Amino acid sequence: MEPQEEKPIIYTMENKPIVTCAGDQGLFTHLYTPLAQQLPREPMEWRRTYGRAPKMIHLEANFVQFKEELLPKEGNKALLTFPFLHIYWTDCCDTETYKGSVKEDMTRWQNSLRLHGSVDWVIVVVETNDAKKKNKTNILPRSSIVDKIRNDFCNKQNDRCVVLSDPLKDSSRSQESWSSFLLKLRTLLLMSFTKNLGRFEDDMRTLREKRTQPGWSFCDYFMVQEELAFVFEMLQQFEDALVQYDELDALFTQYVLNFGAGDGANWLGSFCAPVRNWSGLLLRRPIDMEKRDGIQRGEASLLDLRSYLFSRQCTLLIFLQRPWEVTQRALELLHNCIQELRLLEVSVLEGALDCWVFLSCLEVLHRIEGCCDQAQLAANCSHTVGLWAYATDKLKSLGELCGLVSEKGPTSEDLNRTVDLLAGLGDERPETTLSLQSPYKKLKKALSSTEAFERHYLELSHAAMEMYKAISRLRSARLVGKSLAEFYMRKGDPERAEGFLQDALRSYVSEGWSLPVTHTRKQIAECQKLLGRTEDYLQTSALLAGDENLTSEERKHFCQEILTFASKSTDNSPKVALSMTAFAQLTRLQFRPATASVHSGAALEVELSLRCLMPVAVRVQQLAASIHFSLEQGGTHGRSKGTQRQTNPGTVHFPQGRSAVCLLSASSSAAAAGPSLELDEIQDCSPSDNSLNSTGMVCKNTHLVMRRHDSSSSLDTPNCLSPPALSMDDGGQMLKVQDVTLEPGSNSVVFTAPSGDPGTYTLRQLCATVGQVQFVQPHIYPVVQYEVYSQEPQLTVEPLSEPLLAGLPQRVKFTLLTGHYRLKKGDALQLSNTDTMPILPSATCTASILNPAAERVGESPLSIQSSEKVTSISLPSTPPYHTLEFQLEVLCLIPPGPDRPANERLTNGEVRHRPRSYSHPDTPMIAIDQRMSIDCPWSIYSTLLALTFYIPFKTKHSLLSTGNRKYIQVCVQNVSDVNFQLAELKLSEKQHASLELQSLNTKVQQLVCSKQSVFCLWEVRWKTDLPSCLQCIFSANFSPPDQDVSAFKPFHYQFQLERVTTLYSVRAEILPATGEQHCRSGALCGLEVFVTRLTAPMDGELVEEGRTEADGLRTTKLMYEVADSSSNWAVCGKSSGVVSMPMSASATHRVQIEVMPLFAGHLPFPKIKVFKYLPHTAAPAIQPDPDSCVENDTLSLLDKTLDEVQGDTASIRSRGSVHSLGSGEQQPQRGLPMPRLEPFSPGQVFNHSHARQVLVLPATDDHIMEVNTT
């Protein structure tokens, strides 16, 4: 009995490393309690071999009395019964006692250890004060006893002898002694662990490397590596222990896989024995000793090995507080075991594996429930739901196998099979005997009767579904629901089955699973047929008839079901409405004509392309498309007209799915999202000039978009239980065709569309009637529309070439869109003639007639008759909605000048305004807008049309003077992109016949290239007196190059020159300093200015400027200014001044000014300016003329460039103190009378020294230059 008592009982967390105690057992008994308590308090760092990370562990020990039987024998590899350390206890302090008994006992103890190869030992000498007091005469010092022990037993290992002083006293010396002893004990124990575990691991590794040798047994190796796992578990290193079992699991799995590949091991034969017991996993024991013994004897089956291995892994995972990993591993284990049994070809009773899996799932779930509370279970149901679903599936398989699912109940054969399955479960384990919800009891109850099975199966199914829904795994929940539906179908309850099947179908359709959709739909059809739901059954049959996943016979069967119902003639019963999606697919719609826009009353055809999904030809009594009509009211609601009308596509392609399930998925998604928006553009235009005021968008199907979708079902979702019936309104506008046979595949149907009333026609629905069945497509998307319009006649005029040049004949194109108006014989266009843009007569003028497709259908000559004010164009007969085109030649005259013609009136009584010229931002040419008024036969109002012409020339003039001689220069600039030839350049004066303008131009014709200029010059000669004002007219003929003489067109330019007489001459002389022959830089020089009056004053000049002095002499005041903008001269002293000039011929005034040249060389004379100095009482010389202002804004101001305007104003700006009187800074002082300056007109003052130069020498300077020569 003693060996059995010493056999260690393997229970997790109870075994501890064995430490033997020899010597004084009474002494050890007194010290055991504090030793066992204090040893595990401090952690130790465990450094392992092979580079493994160090760990901190708490050491515990099982102190037992030393016996030689405990020492390991040779070949024994058990680590749990291996004594890792041996301790000899003694408190001997007497020499005689030591020599008489203690030394001899220590010698025997060491001989035994040495005989068994144990080298891990320590001698503990306990010193107490009580022992010293009893025998003081024979007591030696403690050091003497310890030295003797060390000399006798610890020659080279002095640290193996430890002294423990007063261990039972509470003193600092005692505590220090305890700490030193415990540290030594932990160190020695850890060293022993490291050494013995390393040796064990090396032996285990060697044994594993021999696995390819004959005779190697996995079971033997399993026991060895599990021994290592036990040790790690004993040290509370659960992670390392779990690694050992995982390695065993992986090694066994690899062998099974190799066996399946044809490379089998001999030892696998023991695991190929037939399975006799399928009691499931046992996780309520830390170690299943029964299965472990079977593995040790080599008699365990595959399920036994896997069950034991998983139970150990489960225990360690729970110790590691990783219970959810247990569920994951359990699910993998159950699936892998079934595959391994098939690979090893193990004979298993039918249904036994289902029992084993069911029991195992519930056992794992019960084990997890035992270590977690309800809140943790609810929060982590995603880890356990797989086991619930697997158990449900296996229970269903057992019910089908044992006849518990059928309507009739189990047969005798089923009962015998149930008995065999229950027999393989064996007796219930003691751990679960008292549990009312143990897996063993649940399975026995479930297989006991039909009612019990249904109760347990529904409980498990609903639990799994709720968990799947809680973690949002709806697909898995619906898969369990489909399994429930199959159960209800077997039980003969189709009504409860249909709901689960519809949920599963909805999931499959949304995710695009084609084959599951077909299979589920067949089950739904069976349910609907049993329940007598005819409409739902027909809808499902239609979907199955067009499903390509079914065989041809199955598809024809379901199609025949529909045709059989449709052939029943019942007058009173309403027609059954089904989804068109299941019957036929709309692929393309094409309009003829392709513009999808026709005028009122025109013919319009619609070709519909359908792909019939039925397996046989189907005769359709009527194929109809409903039309929604929206009235178009033209300008009343701001609708755009003519070319602005919205264009609709002539061909519409509809999206195609690759399969029926894709099509159903798309239609279901569209139905879930609601109908698409049908938007139209609304433009609000002004009634007066048809200008755009605002624009916006309007939804045309608000009644469909804004409706509730939760309470209404749509035919776009053919999976709904009750599609609503929809009747087509025969009284509304529809596209219809009768008696059409739709063949399987592509079909084409042609409709004639209504086009009576103007407006927009939208195709909304499509319906195919087959007897009592109507296949309806409630929404056609993309939106299909065609337009019927009623257009007002429109007349447009556009140039044939851009730009239109004024002065040359230009062709313009008249385009008349007849609209709803029919041109009759005698209709004519009345054009109002204008002097500025006459219509040129043409010998032949024809009009082209085009149909709505822009094809020429005829030509007709035009009759044009002109009178003084009206040009009449007779139009040919033209049908409505045709286009009439013809061309006319017009000539826009270039405005000659500022003369204003008398006001004219148009034929409609309006006053004709003179066309104004203006600068165009995109071209340098001057633009002229010419408007014409046209009276049309279809309207009582005149049509105003405008053409923009561009003047190709820009003309400028200038007056040049040389003393009293005058010259007129005219510059003609070609600002167009065309080259021109100029001829007969003339200049004349209108008012003075005695005036002669002598041309100095040598060439008769001049070529003016694009963007180039031509300058012409005339000298003015007069006999008596030169007039103060000249009215000049410049004329020329121009045409493009290489044209006949007849092609030249006249061009006139009128301008006026005022104050052209030269009144004053200015001469200047620069005199060097006294004694100098030439001027020198930096030296003062004298500037003498002579202002001479050349002519006697005229009458107007006397009134404006004359002043009478005291002696009766008429004088005028002039202001001179000497300035040098080039900084060559420095004016010293006054640079400006006012002089009083006699108003008589040859009167001269001399002014002397000192100037200093700043540079040497030939320097130009300083600039000398002369202004009129008018007192505050003088009126302005030029009164503004409002008419001239109006006229001159057309040409004169435009002809003058910005530089010239700035030059004129710059001459008035002040430079000196006197000149500032008329500056802009004094402008706010309007209340005070101030004198002012007025410049002379060009030619009134002639400066003789304008271009003169004077030689200036450099200043004299003496320099000394040293030159060295060698």
Side-chain angles (χ1 to χ4, degrees):
M1 296 298 292
E2 187 175 354
Q4 295 179 357
E5 295 175 356
E6 294 177 355
K7 181 179 179 180
I9 300 175
I10 302 176
Y11 280 107
T12 306
M13 296 294 293
E14 294 184 3
N15 289 332
K16 300 176 183 178
I18 297 176
V19 177
T20 64
C21 297
D24 192 348
Q25 295 296 322
L27 176 62
F28 171 71
T29 304
H30 287 85
L31 298 178
Y32 171 76
T33 302
L35 180 62
Q37 292 176 353
Q38 296 184 30
L39 180 64
R41 285 184 180 178
E42 297 294 333
M44 292 291 291
E45 184 180 22
W46 185 20
R47 295 183 177 272
R48 303 179 61 191
T49 57
Y50 298 104
R52 287 173 283 192
K55 295 183 178 181
M56 302 299 294
I57 63 174
H58 293 266
L59 293 174
E60 294 183 271
N62 182 16
F63 296 96
V64 299
Q65 185 178 358
F66 174 77
K67 294 181 181 180
E68 193 171 352
E69 291 81 4
L70 294 176
L71 297 178
K73 299 177 177 58
E74 186 176 358
N76 185 8
K77 301 184 184 311
L79 288 176
L80 294 179
T81 59
F82 182 83
F84 288 93
L85 186 63
H86 306 277
I87 304 176
Y88 189 92
W89 297 86
T90 180
D91 59 351
C92 177
C93 297
D94 187 3
T95 307
E96 298 298 331
T97 306
Y98 171 73
K99 292 180 179 180
S101 60
V102 175
K103 182 177 179 180
E104 183 180 355
D105 190 39
M106 284 185 182
T107 304
R108 287 196 302 270
W109 174 69
Q110 277 212 342
N111 290 336
S112 299
L113 296 180
R114 193 176 296 111
L115 181 64
H116 291 83
S118 298
V119 295
D120 298 311
W121 53 269
V122 64
I123 298 175
V124 181
V125 179
V126 180
E127 179 190 19
T128 59
N129 292 330
D130 296 338
K132 293 181 180 180
K133 293 178 180 179
K134 289 180 182 180
N135 193 1
K136 294 183 179 180
T137 58
N138 296 327
I139 292 178
L140 293 175
R142 178 178 57 83
S143 58
S144 300
I145 296 298
V146 174
D147 291 341
K148 285 181 177 292
I149 295 175
R150 287 176 178 172
N151 290 332
D152 294 339
F153 301 100
C154 309
N155 292 329
K156 298 181 180 180
Q157 296 175 326
N158 292 331
D159 59 336
R160 294 302 178 101
C161 183
V162 182
V163 178
L164 184 61
S165 301
D166 294 329
L168 299 179
K169 291 187 177 181
D170 188 9
S171 63
S172 59
R173 183 166 176 260
S174 176
Q175 294 295 330
E176 182 179 356
S177 178
W178 264 113
S179 299
S180 177
F181 169 68
L182 291 174
L183 179 61
K184 175 61 70 174
L185 185 60
R186 295 189 191 105
T187 303
L188 293 175
L189 192 57
L190 195 59
M191 291 173 58
S192 178
F193 279 147
T194 305
K195 180 179 62 177
N196 289 285
L197 254 64
R199 186 184 303 116
F200 186 86
E201 287 180 337
D202 291 340
D203 296 340
M204 182 188 72
R205 197 174 295 108
T206 302
L207 180 61
R208 184 171 58 194
E209 291 174 354
K210 295 179 181 180
R211 62 185 180 276
T212 57
Q213 298 179 3
W216 187 84
S217 173
F218 176 80
C219 294
D220 296 339
Y221 176 75
F222 181 92
M223 304 307 295
V224 172
Q225 189 161 0
E226 190 187 28
E227 191 80 15
L228 180 62
F230 284 152
V231 173
F232 284 128
E233 187 177 0
M234 180 178 61
L235 297 176
Q236 299 185 12
Q237 301 301 309
F238 304 116
E239 190 70 44
D240 292 331
L242 181 62
V243 170
Q244 309 308 316
Y245 286 110
D246 289 344
E247 290 179 355
L248 290 172
D249 189 352
L251 182 62
F252 185 78
T253 301
Q254 188 61 47
Y255 270 106
V256 175
L257 294 178
N258 293 341
F259 183 87
D263 185 13
N266 295 329
W267 54 267
L268 277 174
S270 61
F271 295 99
C272 297
V275 177
R276 303 298 182 188
N277 183 279
W278 41 88
S279 57
L281 298 175
L282 178 60
L283 305 180
R284 308 187 187 223
R285 299 177 187 171
I287 296 179
D288 190 348
M289 294 303 301
E290 181 181 353
K291 289 185 173 58
R292 188 174 188 277
D293 292 341
I295 297 173
Q296 191 171 12
R297 294 191 304 270
E299 299 175 356
S301 64
L302 177 65
L303 293 182
D304 293 337
L305 175 65
R306 283 299 188 185
S307 299
Y308 175 77
L309 191 58
F310 181 77
S311 66
R312 295 296 303 135
Q313 291 172 326
C314 174
T315 301
L316 294 173
L317 286 171
I318 290 177
F319 285 148
L320 290 170
Q321 297 182 357
R322 288 150 58 182
W324 312 119
E325 190 175 341
V326 175
T327 60
Q328 177 185 353
R329 291 186 175 222
L331 208 54
E332 296 175 358
L333 168 74
L334 300 178
H335 288 286
N336 292 337
C337 280
I338 296 176
Q339 298 300 325
E340 290 176 352
L341 290 172
R342 293 176 182 174
L343 289 175
L344 296 179
E345 300 177 357
V346 178
S347 176
V348 184
L349 180 66
E350 185 180 8
L353 287 181
D354 295 335
C355 292
W356 182 77
V357 171
F358 177 80
L359 293 173
S360 300
C361 289
L362 295 187
E363 178 68 15
V364 173
L365 292 173
H366 279 272
R367 186 69 182 91
I368 298 300
E369 290 174 359
C371 62
C372 300
D373 55 19
Q374 291 298 324
Q376 291 177 324
L377 291 173
N380 295 274
C381 61
S382 59
H383 299 90
T384 59
V385 65
L387 293 174
W388 284 103
Y390 203 17
T392 304
D393 184 58
K394 291 305 176 183
L395 183 60
K396 177 186 175 185
S397 300
L398 288 173
E400 294 174 353
L401 183 65
C402 298
L404 300 174
V405 181
S406 62
E407 298 181 23
K408 299 179 181 179
T411 61
S412 58
E413 183 180 355
D414 297 332
L415 294 176
N416 292 333
R417 188 180 295 112
T418 303
V419 171
D420 294 339
L421 291 176
L422 295 177
L425 301 179
D427 298 332
E428 188 174 5
R429 292 155 181 167
E431 293 83 2
T432 62
T433 303
L434 301 178
S435 176
L436 299 178
Q437 297 294 328
S438 66
Y440 182 86
K441 291 187 177 67
K442 278 191 175 182
L443 182 59
K444 290 194 69 175
K445 289 181 181 179
L447 299 182
S448 62
S449 65
T450 304
E451 293 77 10
F453 174 81
E454 181 176 355
R455 183 175 64 257
H456 283 82
Y457 176 69
L458 293 180
E459 178 184 351
L460 290 176
S461 298
H462 287 291
M465 289 180 64
E466 292 300 326
M467 291 182 186
Y468 277 130
K469 291 179 181 179
I471 61 176
S472 300
R473 289 180 57 180
L474 299 181
R475 183 192 307 164
S476 301
R478 288 167 180 169
L479 186 62
V480 177
K482 186 181 177 184
S483 179
L484 263 178
E486 295 174 355
F487 170 77
Y488 283 125
M489 288 295 293
R490 287 178 174 268
K491 297 290 290 183
D493 191 357
E495 185 173 2
R496 300 175 69 179
E498 188 183 13
F500 293 108
L501 292 175
Q502 289 286 2
D503 290 340
L505 178 64
R506 192 176 297 109
S507 177
Y508 295 147
V509 168
S510 63
E511 297 174 7
W513 298 98
S514 176
L515 290 175
V517 164
T518 304
H519 180 262
T520 308
R521 193 169 283 148
K522 286 177 62 178
Q523 294 175 318
I524 292 176
E526 183 181 356
C527 292
Q528 293 169 345
K529 189 173 183 180
L530 292 175
L531 293 173
R533 295 177 178 170
T534 305
E535 295 185 13
D536 297 340
Y537 176 67
L538 292 177
Q539 178 66 73
T540 307
S541 298
L543 293 170
L544 292 171
D547 197 333
E548 297 178 355
N549 293 322
L550 295 178
T551 62
S552 177
E553 290 74 14
E554 289 177 316
R555 294 178 62 189
K556 289 180 180 179
H557 165 72
F558 288 108
C559 182
Q560 191 60 42
E561 292 283 311
I562 300 173
L563 297 179
T564 302
F565 177 83
S567 61
K568 297 178 181 179
S569 58
T570 54
D571 298 334
N572 297 329
S573 61
K575 296 182 181 296
V576 177
L578 305 179
S579 173
M580 175 69 77
T581 311
F583 175 70
Q585 188 176 353
L586 187 59
T587 59
R588 189 186 65 175
L589 187 144
Q590 186 174 5
F591 288 99
R592 301 174 185 169
T595 57
S597 178
V598 296
H599 59 81
S600 178
L604 178 65
E605 291 185 347
V606 181
E607 181 181 359
L608 214 63
S609 297
L610 293 169
R611 185 166 69 92
C612 183
L613 303 177
M614 295 294 104
V616 297
V618 179
R619 179 175 173 272
V620 179
Q621 282 77 18
Q622 177 179 286
L623 184 62
S626 65
I627 298 176
H628 176 265
F629 173 73
S630 60
L631 182 63
E632 186 177 38
Q633 298 180 359
T636 303
H637 291 88
R639 292 275 184 167
S640 56
K641 298 183 180 180
T643 57
Q644 298 180 356
R645 184 173 54 247
Q646 179 183 357
T647 58
N648 299 310
T651 301
V652 179
H653 294 274
F654 297 90
Q656 304 298 312
R658 290 176 295 177
S659 61
V661 65
C662 295
L663 180 64
L664 262 295
S665 177
S667 63
S668 300
S669 300
S676 59
L677 296 177
E678 297 180 11
L679 301 177
D680 196 8
E681 181 183 5
I682 288 296
Q683 295 181 353
D684 184 16
C685 298
S686 174
S688 59
D689 55 356
N690 202 28
S691 62
L692 182 63
N693 291 336
S694 63
T695 184
M697 304 293 291
V698 62
C699 180
K700 301 169 64 176
N701 59 340
T702 313
H703 60 290
L704 297 177
V705 177
M706 302 300 293
R707 70 179 180 180
R708 291 172 57 90
H709 295 283
D710 53 354
S711 59
S712 62
S713 57
S714 172
L715 287 178
D716 282 341
T717 56
N719 304 321
C720 58
L721 297 179
S722 57
L726 187 140
S727 60
M728 305 295 291
D729 187 7
D730 295 337
Q733 299 203 23
M734 300 178 65
L735 304 179
K736 293 182 181 180
V737 64
Q738 306 291 336
D739 293 332
V740 178
T741 301
L742 297 181
E743 299 290 339
S746 299
N747 297 268
S748 179
V749 182
V750 179
F751 297 89
T752 300
S755 59
D757 299 328
T760 302
Y761 294 78
T762 305
L763 273 66
R764 289 295 179 87
Q765 297 175 338
L766 187 65
C767 177
T769 303
V770 182
Q772 292 297 113
V773 177
Q774 283 185 335
F775 294 96
V776 179
Q777 183 171 345
H779 303 294
I780 298 178
Y781 185 79
V783 178
V784 179
Q785 292 179 335
Y786 68 91
E787 185 179 5
V788 177
Y789 59 88
S790 176
Q791 184 180 357
E792 293 292 331
Q794 291 185 357
L795 178 64
T796 58
V797 180
E798 56 185 354
L800 289 181
S801 62
E802 291 286 351
L804 292 175
L805 296 180
L808 292 177
Q810 302 288 303
R811 297 193 69 84
V812 294
K813 178 182 177 182
F814 286 74
T815 303
L816 173 60
L817 302 177
T818 59
H820 64 80
Y821 183 79
R822 177 184 294 276
L823 289 178
K824 302 177 293 296
K825 186 176 181 180
D827 289 342
L829 298 178
Q830 305 292 332
L831 278 69
S832 298
N833 294 336
T834 61
D835 295 338
T836 57
M837 191 188 70
I839 297 176
L840 302 180
S842 177
T844 58
C845 182
T846 59
S848 300
I849 303 175
L850 288 76
N851 61 8
E855 299 173 350
R856 189 184 301 273
V857 295
E859 290 187 356
S860 177
L862 291 180
S863 175
I864 303 177
Q865 296 179 357
S866 299
S867 62
E868 181 180 358
K869 292 188 176 181
V870 176
T871 298
S872 178
I873 303 175
S874 299
L875 302 177
S877 298
T878 307
Y881 300 101
H882 279 58
T883 303
L884 185 67
E885 296 180 350
F886 60 91
Q887 299 178 9
L888 293 180
E889 197 171 37
V890 297
L891 176 64
C892 177
L893 302 180
I894 299 177
D899 291 341
R900 176 191 297 273
N903 290 336
E904 300 177 3
R905 290 189 177 271
L906 303 176
T907 56
N908 59 359
E910 296 182 1
V911 176
R912 176 189 300 278
H913 296 281
R914 179 171 174 261
R916 297 171 59 87
S917 58
Y918 58 92
S919 296
H920 198 277
D922 298 332
T923 176
M925 295 186 289
I926 303 300
I928 302 176
D929 287 339
Q930 294 285 357
R931 291 191 177 185
M932 62 175 70
S933 175
I934 305 177
D935 292 338
C936 305
W938 56 81
S939 176
I940 61 175
Y941 302 103
S942 297
T943 302
L944 294 178
L945 299 177
L947 291 174
T948 301
F949 291 84
Y950 296 89
I951 302 176
F953 302 116
K954 182 178 288 187
T955 310
K956 298 182 292 184
H957 66 277
S958 60
L959 178 65
L960 307 178
S961 300
T962 304
N964 288 330
R965 300 180 68 179
K966 300 294 180 179
Y967 299 89
I968 299 176
Q969 184 186 55
V970 178
C971 174
V972 180
Q973 182 183 3
N974 182 7
V975 293
S976 68
D977 296 330
V978 183
N979 298 335
F980 289 102
Q981 190 81 18
L982 295 181
E984 299 181 14
L985 304 176
K986 296 179 181 180
L987 183 65
S988 61
E989 207 278 333
K990 296 191 298 183
Q991 296 181 352
H992 304 86
S994 62
L995 199 66
E996 180 184 357
L997 297 176
Q998 183 179 357
S999 176
L1000 301 181
N1001 306 309
T1002 58
K1003 294 184 179 181
V1004 179
Q1005 291 187 352
Q1006 290 280 352
L1007 177 64
V1008 187
C1009 298
S1010 174
K1011 306 299 185 295
Q1012 300 297 324
S1013 302
V1014 170
F1015 292 87
C1016 305
L1017 189 64
W1018 285 266
E1019 183 179 358
V1020 183
R1021 295 185 177 183
W1022 59 93
K1023 295 179 179 180
T1024 57
D1025 294 327
L1026 179 64
S1028 62
C1029 181
L1030 300 179
Q1031 297 287 340
C1032 300
I1033 300 177
F1034 170 76
S1035 62
N1037 294 332
F1038 71 98
S1039 72
D1042 303 330
Q1043 296 289 332
D1044 296 335
V1045 179
S1046 60
F1048 281 84
K1049 299 298 178 182
F1051 166 64
H1052 299 280
Y1053 172 66
Q1054 297 182 8
F1055 58 93
Q1056 179 178 329
L1057 296 175
E1058 295 182 352
R1059 302 180 183 184
V1060 298
T1061 306
T1062 303
L1063 300 180
Y1064 298 95
S1065 68
V1066 179
R1067 294 179 183 272
E1069 293 292 341
I1070 297 180
L1071 304 177
T1074 306
E1076 296 287 343
Q1077 186 178 0
H1078 298 283
C1079 297
R1080 290 184 180 274
S1081 62
L1084 290 176
C1085 301
L1087 175 64
E1088 292 186 353
V1089 180
F1090 299 91
V1091 181
T1092 304
R1093 175 80 184 195
L1094 298 180
T1095 61
M1098 292 177 286
D1099 297 338
E1101 189 179 2
L1102 290 174
V1103 175
E1104 295 174 0
E1105 305 175 13
R1107 296 289 184 273
T1108 304
E1109 300 294 335
D1111 54 0
L1113 182 64
R1114 305 284 295 182
T1115 62
T1116 183
K1117 288 187 178 182
L1118 302 178
M1119 178 180 174
Y1120 68 90
E1121 181 182 12
V1122 179
D1124 183 29
S1125 60
S1126 59
S1127 301
N1128 293 324
W1129 300 88
V1131 181
C1132 302
K1134 287 184 58 177
S1135 62
S1136 60
V1138 179
V1139 299
S1140 183
M1141 192 73 183
M1143 298 183 66
S1144 61
S1146 301
T1148 302
H1149 190 90
R1150 177 186 174 193
V1151 178
Q1152 289 185 347
I1153 303 173
E1154 288 186 343
V1155 294
M1156 177 188 294
L1158 303 178
F1159 303 99
H1162 290 276
L1163 301 184
F1165 275 45
K1167 291 184 178 180
I1168 303 171
K1169 298 179 182 179
V1170 179
F1171 302 94
K1172 296 178 185 179
Y1173 185 81
L1174 302 179
H1176 61 275
T1177 57
I1182 301 175
Q1183 295 293 337
D1185 182 12
D1187 292 338
S1188 64
C1189 293
V1190 174
E1191 295 299 332
N1192 290 340
D1193 66 351
T1194 59
L1195 288 176
S1196 302
L1197 294 179
L1198 291 172
D1199 291 342
K1200 181 173 288 189
T1201 62
L1202 182 61
D1203 295 337
E1204 295 174 279
V1205 176
Q1206 291 177 349
D1208 294 342
T1209 58
S1211 63
I1212 310 175
R1213 294 174 187 166
S1214 65
R1215 184 179 178 90
S1217 60
V1218 177
H1219 199 205
S1220 64
L1221 294 174
S1223 63
E1225 295 178 359
Q1226 302 296 331
Q1227 290 297 326
Q1229 299 179 3
R1230 298 286 185 181
L1232 298 176
M1234 302 295 293
R1236 57 188 175 84
L1237 298 179
E1238 182 177 320
F1240 285 97
S1241 299
Q1244 285 187 305
V1245 177
F1246 180 73
N1247 192 349
H1248 291 271
S1249 59
H1250 179 68
R1252 288 186 63 186
Q1253 293 181 342
V1254 62
L1255 177 62
V1256 178
L1257 299 178
T1260 58
D1261 193 4
D1262 297 331
H1263 297 277
I1264 298 175
M1265 180 175 63
E1266 295 182 1
V1267 179
N1268 296 325
T1269 59
T1270 57

